[in-house]
């Protein structure tokens, strides 16, 4: 009976040693195969853009391919659920944002994930202000005229958004609430399809990302009434801020960030955070963000702890906003 017992002890010790060194071993060799970044929206929008730009640099830094997987639906929560349920080994990440990892909590009472509990923060990737944009032939020359027309013609007005709980939906409802506008809401899969619908005249307006509509505003294909930020954006210098346009209470600068499934080994998270930080310091990455109106986060806003705090703060911040504005699923 003794030999089997010694064998058992040997195996037990071996298993203990293996579990102790495995995370470090993974980190030293990670990544050994392609890394997937789930983007919970269609190609072409701000989330997709941020993921593709930083992943290109991270791929070079870590010596492996980064693959973008667009998996849209339900305001980005479908793709977020997919990311949450992925194996926590560093090979499946998500580019989420303020909608998927903060606001959605208040619009989906039975949300299948808890942003603070079910994800590991890697770091903030990009910030990007929203623009109040309309089809090019909309009968209003400025924001004041737009609001007057909208109030006088509610039955004629429709607003595009990217799904319940998503950025365009939440900030769009907030804008409508502030100005007493009650349009018909038209859902799309994300910011890129909303921009396409605006260009085609299928919808009247949207509170959408500058990365989605900036180029079309510059060519005159779309109108932009205001940018929801403290300062004008260099890519649209002629578009006033919401404060300049008479709506100082409406500010909207959504953020985009990388997350991993809960339980991803800390050494791997550290490696990813370092690669992301180096990407954000790269002149080419910064230029590509700037060219479309995106902003690189300051050093103080980067990293795992800063993102963890941001997610908690945003979830808490949006509860009274939604309650005060009477926002709800539509």
């Amino acid at each position: 009976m003794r030999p089997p017992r010694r064998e058992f002890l040997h195996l037990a010790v071996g298993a203990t040693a293996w579990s102790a060194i495995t995370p470090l071993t993974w980190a030293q060799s990670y990544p050994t195969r392609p890394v997937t970044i789930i983007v919970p929206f269609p190609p072409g929008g701000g989330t997709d853009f941020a993921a593709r730009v930083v992943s290109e640099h991270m791929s070079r830094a870590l010596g492996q391919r980064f693959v973008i997987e667009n998996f849209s639906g339900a305001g980005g929560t479908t793709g977020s659920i997919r990311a949450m349920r992925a194996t926590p080994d560093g090979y499946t990440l998500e580019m989420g944002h303020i909608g998927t990892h903060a606001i959605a909590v208040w619009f989906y009472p039975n949300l299948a994930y808890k942003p603070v509990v079910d994800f590991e923060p890697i770091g903030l990737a990009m910030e990007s202000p929203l623009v109040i944009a309309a089809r090019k032939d909309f009968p209003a020359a400025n924001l004041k005229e737009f609001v007057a027309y909208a109030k006088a013609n509610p039955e004629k007005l429709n607003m595009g958004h990217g799904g319940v709980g998503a950025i365009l939906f939440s900030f769009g409802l907030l804008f409508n609430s502030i100005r007493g506008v009650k349009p018909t809401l038209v859902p799309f899969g994300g910011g890129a399809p909303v921009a396409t619908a605006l260009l085609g005249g299928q919808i009247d307006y949207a509170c959408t990302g500058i990365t989605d509509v900036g180029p079309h505003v510059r060519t005159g294909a779309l109108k932009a009434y205001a940018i929801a930020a403290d300062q004008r954006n260099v890519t649209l210098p002629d578009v006033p801020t919401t404060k300049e346009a008479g709506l100082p209470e409406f500010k909207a600068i959504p953020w985009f960030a990388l997350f991993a499934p809960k339980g991803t080994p800390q050494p791997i998270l550290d490696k990813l955070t370092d690669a992301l930080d180096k990407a954000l310091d790269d002149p080419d990455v910064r230029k590509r963000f700037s060219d479309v109106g995106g902003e690189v986060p300051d050093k103080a806003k980067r990293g795992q702890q800063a993102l963890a705090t941001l997610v908690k703060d945003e979830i808490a911040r949006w509860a009274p906003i939604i309650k005060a504005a009477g926002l709800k699923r539509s």
Side-chain angles (χ1 to χ4, degrees), residues 239-268:
V239 178
T241 65
T242 45
K243 182 178 181 179
E244 292 172 327
L247 191 64
E249 62 269 49
F250 185 66
K251 274 183 59 179
I253 307 177
W255 47 264
F256 304 82
L258 270 180
F259 297 88
K262 186 69 175 179
T264 301
Q266 188 61 48
I268 290 179

Coordinates of all heavy atoms in Angstrom, one line a residue, residues 239-268:
V239 N -17.3 73.7 -36.4 CA -18.5 73.3 -35.6 C -18.4 73.8 -34.2 O -17.4 73.5 -33.5 CB -18.6 71.7 -35.6 CG1 -19.7 71.2 -34.8 CG2 -18.7 71.2 -37.1
P240 N -19.4 74.5 -33.7 CA -19.3 75.0 -32.3 C -19.4 74.0 -31.3 O -20.0 72.9 -31.5 CB -20.5 76.0 -32.3 CG -21.5 75.4 -33.3 CD -20.6 74.9 -34.4
T241 N -19.0 74.3 -30.1 CA -19.2 73.3 -29.0 C -20.7 73.5 -28.5 O -21.4 74.5 -28.9 CB -18.3 73.7 -27.8 OG1 -18.7 75.0 -27.3 CG2 -16.9 73.7 -28.1
T242 N -21.2 72.6 -27.8 CA -22.6 72.7 -27.3 C -22.8 73.9 -26.4 O -23.8 74.5 -26.4 CB -23.0 71.4 -26.5 OG1 -21.9 71.0 -25.6 CG2 -23.3 70.2 -27.4
K243 N -21.7 74.3 -25.7 CA -21.8 75.5 -24.9 C -22.0 76.7 -25.8 O -22.8 77.6 -25.5 CB -20.6 75.7 -24.0 CG -20.6 76.9 -23.1 CD -19.3 76.9 -22.2 CE -19.4 78.2 -21.3 NZ -18.2 78.2 -20.4
E244 N -21.2 76.8 -26.8 CA -21.3 77.9 -27.8 C -22.6 77.9 -28.5 O -23.1 79.0 -28.9 CB -20.1 77.8 -28.8 CG -18.8 78.0 -28.3 CD -17.7 77.8 -29.3 OE1 -17.9 76.9 -30.1 OE2 -16.6 78.4 -29.2
A245 N -23.2 76.8 -28.7 CA -24.5 76.6 -29.4 C -25.7 76.8 -28.5 O -26.8 76.7 -29.0 CB -24.5 75.3 -30.1
G246 N -25.4 77.1 -27.2 CA -26.5 77.3 -26.3 C -27.0 76.1 -25.5 O -28.1 76.1 -24.9
L247 N -26.2 75.0 -25.4 CA -26.6 73.8 -24.7 C -25.4 73.4 -23.8 O -24.8 72.3 -24.0 CB -26.9 72.7 -25.7 CG -27.6 71.5 -25.1 CD1 -29.0 71.8 -24.5 CD2 -27.7 70.4 -26.2
P248 N -25.0 74.2 -22.9 CA -23.8 73.9 -22.0 C -24.0 72.7 -21.2 O -23.0 72.1 -20.8 CB -23.7 75.2 -21.2 CG -25.1 75.7 -21.1 CD -25.7 75.5 -22.4
E249 N -25.2 72.3 -20.9 CA -25.4 71.1 -20.0 C -25.2 69.8 -20.7 O -25.2 68.7 -20.0 CB -26.8 71.2 -19.3 CG -28.0 71.1 -20.3 CD -28.4 72.5 -20.8 OE1 -27.6 73.3 -21.2 OE2 -29.7 72.7 -20.8
F250 N -25.0 69.8 -22.0 CA -24.9 68.6 -22.7 C -23.4 68.4 -23.1 O -22.9 69.0 -24.1 CB -25.8 68.5 -24.0 CG -25.7 67.2 -24.7 CD1 -26.2 66.1 -24.1 CD2 -25.2 67.1 -26.0 CE1 -26.2 64.8 -24.8 CE2 -25.2 65.9 -26.7 CZ -25.6 64.8 -26.1
K251 N -22.7 67.5 -22.4 CA -21.4 67.1 -22.7 C -21.3 65.6 -22.9 O -21.9 64.9 -22.1 CB -20.4 67.5 -21.6 CG -19.9 68.9 -21.7 CD -18.9 69.2 -20.6 CE -17.7 68.2 -20.7 NZ -16.7 68.5 -19.6
A252 N -20.6 65.1 -24.0 CA -20.6 63.7 -24.2 C -19.3 63.4 -24.9 O -19.0 63.6 -26.0 CB -21.8 63.3 -25.2
I253 N -18.4 62.8 -24.0 CA -17.1 62.4 -24.5 C -16.9 60.9 -24.1 O -16.2 60.6 -23.1 CB -15.9 63.2 -23.9 CG1 -16.2 64.7 -24.2 CG2 -14.6 62.9 -24.6 CD1 -15.2 65.7 -23.6
P254 N -17.5 60.0 -24.8 CA -17.4 58.6 -24.5 C -15.9 58.1 -24.6 O -15.1 58.6 -25.3 CB -18.2 57.9 -25.6 CG -19.1 59.0 -26.1 CD -18.3 60.2 -26.0
W255 N -15.7 57.0 -23.8 CA -14.4 56.3 -23.8 C -14.5 54.9 -24.3 O -15.5 54.3 -24.3 CB -13.8 56.4 -22.4 CG -14.7 56.0 -21.3 CD1 -15.5 56.8 -20.5 CD2 -15.0 54.6 -20.9 NE1 -16.2 56.0 -19.6 CE2 -15.9 54.7 -19.8 CE3 -14.6 53.3 -21.3 CZ2 -16.4 53.6 -19.1 CZ3 -15.0 52.2 -20.6 CH2 -16.0 52.3 -19.6
F256 N -13.3 54.4 -24.8 CA -13.2 53.1 -25.3 C -12.0 52.4 -24.6 O -11.0 53.0 -24.4 CB -13.0 53.1 -26.8 CG -14.0 53.9 -27.6 CD1 -14.0 55.3 -27.7 CD2 -15.1 53.2 -28.2 CE1 -15.0 56.0 -28.4 CE2 -16.1 53.9 -28.9 CZ -16.0 55.3 -29.0
A257 N -12.2 51.1 -24.2 CA -11.2 50.5 -23.4 C -11.1 49.0 -23.6 O -12.1 48.4 -24.0 CB -11.5 50.8 -21.9
L258 N -9.9 48.5 -23.3 CA -9.7 47.0 -23.5 C -10.0 46.3 -22.2 O -9.5 46.7 -21.1 CB -8.2 46.8 -23.9 CG -7.9 46.7 -25.4 CD1 -6.4 46.4 -25.6 CD2 -8.8 45.7 -26.1
F259 N -10.7 45.2 -22.3 CA -11.0 44.3 -21.1 C -10.7 42.9 -21.5 O -10.6 42.5 -22.6 CB -12.5 44.4 -20.8 CG -13.0 45.8 -20.4 CD1 -13.4 46.7 -21.3 CD2 -13.0 46.1 -19.0 CE1 -13.8 48.0 -20.9 CE2 -13.4 47.4 -18.6 CZ -13.8 48.3 -19.6
A260 N -10.5 42.1 -20.4 CA -10.2 40.6 -20.6 C -11.2 39.9 -19.7 O -11.8 40.5 -18.7 CB -8.8 40.3 -20.2
P261 N -11.5 38.7 -19.9 CA -12.4 37.9 -19.0 C -11.9 37.8 -17.6 O -10.6 37.8 -17.4 CB -12.5 36.5 -19.7 CG -12.1 36.8 -21.1 CD -11.1 37.9 -21.1
K262 N -12.7 37.8 -16.7 CA -12.3 37.6 -15.3 C -11.5 36.3 -15.1 O -11.8 35.3 -15.6 CB -13.6 37.5 -14.3 CG -13.2 37.5 -12.9 CD -12.7 38.8 -12.4 CE -12.5 38.9 -10.9 NZ -11.9 40.2 -10.5
G263 N -10.4 36.5 -14.4 CA -9.5 35.3 -14.1 C -8.3 35.2 -15.0 O -7.5 34.3 -14.9
T264 N -8.2 36.1 -16.0 CA -7.0 36.2 -16.8 C -5.8 36.4 -15.9 O -5.8 37.3 -15.1 CB -7.1 37.3 -17.9 OG1 -8.3 37.1 -18.7 CG2 -5.9 37.3 -18.8
P265 N -4.7 35.6 -16.0 CA -3.6 35.8 -15.1 C -3.0 37.2 -15.1 O -2.9 37.8 -16.2 CB -2.6 34.8 -15.7 CG -3.4 33.7 -16.4 CD -4.6 34.5 -17.0
Q266 N -2.7 37.7 -13.9 CA -2.2 39.0 -13.8 C -0.9 39.3 -14.6 O -0.8 40.4 -15.2 CB -1.9 39.3 -12.3 CG -1.5 40.8 -12.0 CD -2.6 41.7 -12.4 OE1 -3.8 41.5 -12.0 NE2 -2.3 42.8 -13.1
P267 N 0.1 38.4 -14.7 CA 1.2 38.7 -15.6 C 0.9 38.9 -17.0 O 1.5 39.7 -17.7 CB 2.1 37.4 -15.4 CG 1.7 36.8 -14.1 CD 0.2 37.1 -14.0
I268 N -0.2 38.2 -17.5 CA -0.6 38.4 -18.9 C -1.3 39.8 -19.0 O -1.1 40.5 -20.0 CB -1.6 37.3 -19.3 CG1 -0.7 36.0 -19.5 CG2 -2.3 37.7 -20.6 CD1 -1.6 34.8 -19.9

